[in-house]
Amino acid sequence: MTELTTDQQRDFEAAAFRRLVEHLRERGDVQNIDLMNLAGFCRNCLSNWYREAANANGVDLTKDQSREIVYGMPYAQWQALNQTDASEAKKAEFEARWPKDH
């Protein structure tokens, strides 16, 4: 395996992150509860991790700002365009799997 420099690794990780965000933006039909139930994270988690990284590096991002970066639009707008009501089965699965503080 080729050894990567720190800069290369960072650049490749950033490219993968951008690709993930682009993919999630294209798949508005995939609901956050589905992502949480299947993968243990969702768009909101991703935006929280982004904000935490920014804040840890002295950049003050708000929750709304980091969500707009991930969603590609204000969160309320994304919800109005894409969010559907979760079934009782999906809600029950989420409640059974995830701690209350998530």
Side-chain angles (χ1 to χ4, degrees):
M1 183 169 118
T2 303
E3 289 293 321
L4 301 176
T5 68
T6 302
D7 287 345
Q8 286 174 318
Q9 183 174 344
R10 182 199 61 232
D11 291 348
F12 299 157
E13 289 168 349
F17 171 80
R18 288 189 298 271
R19 180 93 182 258
L20 173 61
V21 167
E22 179 182 333
H23 180 76
L24 291 173
R25 287 178 182 175
E26 291 171 359
R27 292 299 311 268
D29 60 309
V30 177
Q31 299 296 299
N32 281 336
I33 197 166
D34 297 325
L35 291 169
M36 287 297 296
N37 287 345
L38 292 172
F41 82 100
C42 68
R43 293 168 182 89
N44 291 336
C45 298
L46 195 57
S47 71
N48 289 341
W49 300 334
Y50 190 98
R51 182 177 32 115
E52 290 168 6
N55 293 166
N57 284 279
V59 177
D60 187 29
L61 277 183
T62 67
K63 181 193 278 189
D64 289 338
Q65 289 171 320
S66 65
R67 282 187 175 182
E68 190 164 341
I69 289 166
V70 169
Y71 284 89
M73 63 185 71
Y75 182 54
Q77 182 182 355
W78 186 91
Q79 285 179 302
L81 291 171
N82 297 293
Q83 189 165 315
T84 60
D85 290 332
S87 69
E88 291 304 316
K90 288 179 183 182
K91 290 178 189 177
E93 182 179 355
F94 179 82
E95 289 300 319
R97 289 179 161 225
W98 303 106
K100 300 294 182 221
D101 66 343
H102 188 77

